Structures are given as C-alpha cells and as structure tokens.
Amino acid sequence: MLLLMAIVFSIPFYAYCIWGLYKPDDAIMFMDRWRYEKPPQHSELQMMLFKFSNILGIGFITVFLLIMVLINGGYSRIF
C-alpha cells in the first residue's frame, strides 16, 4: 500500500519536472504570475539551473521509487 501511495504521489512531481524541462518560463512563474504586471525576463543561467534541477528532481524521484520497490519486495506487494 505504501508503494502504491508513493507512486501516485510522485506523478505530479514527475509532471512538473517534465513541464519545467519543456516550458521553463511558465514553470518558473507557476503560482507567481499574479505578482507581476508583465512577465520578468529570466537569464540563460537561471533557465539552465532550473532545467538542471528538474533533471535532478526526476532522478531523485526515480531513485526513491526504486528504493521503495526494493524495500517492499517488488511489484507483487504493491497492494
């Protein structure tokens, strides 16, 4: 049951990280767009670091899920 919950709760994090790789401007401004009258300009360094952090996030989530699978004894004990 714990593995199933971990998989379900990791889906939004995967979605945000993948969205951040393809549209970093929109992902950076997510939930902050209301603060500005016009969108701010982001530097190339900021975009590169944001994409790098999204790749690291995908990696950490994947490692976490693999550890959960190993701890729970594989896919046969999902439920």
Side-chain angles (χ1 to χ4, degrees), residues 2-14 61 64-65:
L2 185 63
L3 179 60
L4 180 64
M5 287 176 50
I7 291 171
V8 168
F9 285 124
S10 69
I11 291 172
F13 293 108
Y14 271 119
I61 294 169
F64 171 75
L65 289 176

Side-chain angles (χ1 to χ4, degrees), residues 27-41:
I28 290 173
M29 294 298 293
F30 184 63
M31 301 295 286
D32 280 338
R33 197 171 300 274
W34 62 272
R35 292 185 186 181
Y36 305 101
E37 290 182 13
K38 58 181 180 177
Q41 298 295 322

Side-chain angles (χ1 to χ4, degrees), residues 2 4-5 10 12 16-17 25 36 38 45 47 51-53 58 61 63 67-68 71:
L2 185 63
L4 180 64
M5 287 176 50
S10 69
Y16 181 75
C17 288
D25 284 329
Y36 305 101
K38 58 181 180 177
L45 178 64
M47 293 294 176
K51 288 181 179 182
F52 181 72
S53 66
I58 290 172
I61 294 169
V63 168
I67 289 171
M68 292 293 291
I71 288 173

